[in-house]
Amino acid sequence: MSAEQPAQAGTFNVGLLGYGTVGAAFAELLQDRAQEIKGLTGREPRLTGVLRRDSGSYADILEGSDVIVELMGGVEPAREYVLAALLSGRHVVTANKLLLSQHGEELIAAAAKGGAQLLFEASVAGVVPVVRVLEQSLAGSHIERVHGIVNGTTNFILSEMERGLSYAEALAEAQSKGFAEADPSDDVSGRDAAAKMAILARLAFGAPVHLDEVPFEGIEQLQGDDLAYARELGLGLKLIGTAERRDGGLSVRVHPAFLYSGHPLASIGGSFNAVTVESEAITEVTMSGPGAGGPQTASAVLGDLVSAMLPPTGRRAPVKRLPLLTDIESAFYLHMDVADRPGVLAGVTQALGEHGVSIKSVLQRGMGESARLVMVTHPVLESSMSAAVARVAEFDFVRAPPRTIRVIEEEFV
Ligand SMILES: NC(=O)c1ccc[n+]([C@@H]2O[C@H](COP(=O)([O-])OP(=O)(O)OC[C@H]3O[C@@H](n4cnc5c(N)ncnc54)[C@H](OP(=O)(O)O)[C@@H]3O)[C@@H](O)[C@H]2O)c1
């Protein structure tokens, strides 16, 4: 579809930017549900223009629309188009996490200036309604922490690695099933999850957080035997995004982490996403569901469209900048490839102890050339752990760079 249709009375005119995986699914869903939505809102939503790379004119689409649905992706020209729509008083629905995590403040200010709504449920965790829950249902809950599995591609790859596949085999499997793009870098590096955590942090804490302020580590370096050893210790591996209050500031970060089996995120497998929200008032709430896919994401976009057609439910909370902390305490899994000889465990334990690292559990496996020492530590500052690992790496009996992965300590029962 490319032609811009004339506006009609009693209709709500929808200008669609992008007609790819999500855009095409949204257009189909909109057509299927138009009468139901008319019943809910009193107006019939009607697609009045579609922009693609080689068809449609943004100026004409904007002119003929009550709402702009941005499903192009990328930062420019999406930013320019969304800003123009908001400043002209048109509501905007978007699924674009890269745009929101880098220009969220500018867009929110433009929405306030233009008297328009900016809705972005589909930008985080696909169909899981976490944005609305944080913004409205839990608005008064003084949230302490949000933990999320917010990237379905990496969760699928890790689930396959748990079944015994190597990283390369699991990635190939994800690509063949359509869960990973031909260029999976944004997903496997943790950047996509970091963008989503920046958005969630702003919603949870009312503090602006930019993608550039979120440190992230991905899953490319993980080894299959780390997962096997961790299983013996009762741990499962996930790519976890965390946003939490700490010492008067915030920590927002993404990295692989081991979870004990009682953690609510431990059982989330395959391409599903899940978000756990914690506060004193609510204890813990976990939401999970499909994190991506055309029809699933389109359904979240359609929910936002219905919201845009109804009177706004409230004002956004005021924003207050909070310091972002970088050196965080965590428990660690530590994997060492060592020579099989007396004194090794004592040497490692002493070196760790000198940096304040104490050991919670130890596994020793193999003999001779294939001896392995695997430990889980008690919580310690990341800087202390890095210093301890650098010291351990200097021993002549350590035969390869030691590997560390964070462990999330809490056990929910
Ligand atoms: N795919 C998912 O499962 C999923 C899940 C959650 C969120 N999202 C988000 O949803 C958005 C869309 O993703 P998608 O997977 O649907 O992308 P996609 O399949 O690549 O489709 C992008 C669409 O936007 C159009 N487009 C891109 N750049 C344009 C430009 N400069 N001018 C005009 N049109 C342009 C493309 O035009 P052509 O048709 O001419 O190529 C295409 O129709 C992204 O922000 C993504 O992060 C996607």
Side-chain angles (χ1 to χ4, degrees), residues 1-5 48-52 55-57 61:
M1 170 164 190
S2 63
E4 283 79 59
Q5 312 281 322
T48 44
V50 176
L51 185 74
R52 300 182 76 164
S55 62
S57 143
I61 291 172

Side-chain angles (χ1 to χ4, degrees), residues 325-367:
L325 313 178
T326 50
D327 196 10
I328 297 298
E329 224 177 45
S330 172
F332 282 87
Y333 158 99
L334 171 62
H335 175 286
M336 286 160 287
D337 219 331
V338 292
D340 183 18
R341 65 177 196 229
V344 167
L345 182 57
V348 169
T349 310
Q350 188 182 341
L352 294 178
E354 282 164 11
H355 292 277
V357 180
S358 70
I359 298 162
K360 182 174 175 181
S361 45
V362 184
L363 282 180
Q364 282 179 282
R365 289 289 177 271
M367 295 170 68

Side-chain angles (χ1 to χ4, degrees), residues 164-193:
L165 268 60
S166 70
Y167 169 73
E169 289 165 343
L171 174 59
E173 178 81 3
Q175 282 168 325
S176 78
K177 291 207 151 111
F179 292 134
E181 313 232 348
D183 176 4
S185 340
D186 261 11
D187 290 325
V188 298
S189 68
R191 186 167 185 261
D192 174 87

Side-chain angles (χ1 to χ4, degrees), residues 145-208:
R145 176 156 57 189
V146 180
H147 269 153
I149 295 175
V150 289
N151 183 277
T153 306
T154 45
N155 206 48
F156 177 83
I157 292 172
L158 292 175
S159 297
E160 293 300 294
M161 288 176 75
E162 294 265 2
R163 293 198 308 117
L165 268 60
S166 70
Y167 169 73
E169 289 165 343
L171 174 59
E173 178 81 3
Q175 282 168 325
S176 78
K177 291 207 151 111
F179 292 134
E181 313 232 348
D183 176 4
S185 340
D186 261 11
D187 290 325
V188 298
S189 68
R191 186 167 185 261
D192 174 87
K196 292 165 178 170
M197 292 314 298
I199 296 170
L200 290 184
R202 192 197 194 280
L203 290 167
F205 308 120

